[in-house]
């Protein structure tokens, strides 16, 4: 399975580099951390947060049976894909209060205090924030893992048993548009 992800990541790198410089192609994300329960878990969006391995994200989607979030990057900002005109944009709060919290807002909703939106990149087939890999923490929601940006804290927000992950991108040639819950 891991070789398949590497092959997909290599092909996505070629596609993404061919996209306009300010916007990437749409993609899904899969958590990679060998030996961990988060290994090969797809990213999901729900409750204004990003998860990996959430069985039901409760989103209103064009194809409701598909439970993986779809993303794209525009000018360094990360968005959840939907065909509607109301964007859902990812933010990161790496302050002492946020400790790397990743969440999203809908439409004209402002970012939380101390959060930023820009800093997302696709590097060698992996999604990174500010040039760093992401963190996954076991979560009480249906065995899912909450996803965090690196803020120099191994177990953010009182979580325990968090692990660093490589966020492998998976090209989506037929993206599933969703409006995610807030």
């Amino acid at each position: 399975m891991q070789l398949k992800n590497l092959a997909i990541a290599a092909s996505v790198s070629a596609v993404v580099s061919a996209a306009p410089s300010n916007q990437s192609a749409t993609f899904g994300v899969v958590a990679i951390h060998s030996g961990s329960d988060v290994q090969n878990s797809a990213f999901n969006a729900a409750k204004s947060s990003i998860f990996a391995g959430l069985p039901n994200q409760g989103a209103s989607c064009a194809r409701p049976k598909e439970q993986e979030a779809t993303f794209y990057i525009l000018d360094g900002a990360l968005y959840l894909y939907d065909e509607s005109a109301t964007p859902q944009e990812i933010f990161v709060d790496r302050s002492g209060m946020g400790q790397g919290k990743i969440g999203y807002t809908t439409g004209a909703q402002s970012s939380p205090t101390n959060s930023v939106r820009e800093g997302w990149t696709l590097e060698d087939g992996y999604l990174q924030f500010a040039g760093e890999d992401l963190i996954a923490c076991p979560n009480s929601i249906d065995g899912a893992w909450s996803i965090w940006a690196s803020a120099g804290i191994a177990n953010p927000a009182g979580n325990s048993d968090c692990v660093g992950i490589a966020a492998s991108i998976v090209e989506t040639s037929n993206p599933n548009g969703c409006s995610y819950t807030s």
Side-chain angles (χ1 to χ4, degrees):
M1 183 86 173
Q2 215 168 12
L3 290 176
K4 178 183 173 190
N5 286 339
L6 291 175
I8 290 171
S11 67
V12 170
S13 291
V15 170
V16 170
S17 62
S21 62
N22 65 340
Q23 181 177 348
S24 70
T26 56
F27 56 90
V29 181
V30 174
I32 304 296
H33 183 99
S34 293
S36 170
D37 288 342
V38 75
Q39 173 73 7
N40 294 323
S41 295
F43 277 26
N44 322 97
K47 303 179 186 220
S48 298
S49 295
I50 303 298
F51 298 93
L54 189 64
N56 185 351
Q57 58 189 2
S60 175
C61 299
R63 294 186 304 273
K65 291 184 180 181
E66 295 177 20
Q67 291 298 310
E68 301 84 18
T70 303
F71 302 90
Y72 68 94
I73 294 176
L74 176 63
D75 295 329
L78 183 65
Y79 293 86
L80 292 162
Y81 175 79
D82 194 3
E83 294 176 358
S84 79
T86 305
Q88 291 186 289
E89 187 174 3
I90 308 297
F91 67 83
V92 175
D93 182 351
R94 295 193 303 172
S95 71
M97 293 291 291
Q99 298 185 2
K101 164 72 176 154
I102 298 176
Y104 58 89
T105 57
T106 301
Q109 186 179 6
S110 62
S111 299
T113 304
N114 300 319
S115 68
V116 296
R117 295 187 187 271
E118 292 83 22
W120 294 98
T121 58
L122 300 178
E123 296 294 328
D124 299 322
Y126 296 96
L127 177 66
Q128 294 185 328
F129 183 77
E132 297 188 46
D133 287 331
L134 304 178
I135 298 168
C137 300
N139 194 283
S140 61
I141 299 176
D142 295 328
W145 293 68
S146 57
I147 304 299
W148 298 76
S150 177
I153 300 167
N155 292 293
N159 286 294
S160 58
D161 302 321
C162 299
V163 296
I165 60 167
S168 178
I169 61 169
V170 179
E171 178 185 0
T172 54
S173 59
N174 183 19
N176 186 16
C178 297
S179 177
Y180 299 91
T181 60
S182 51

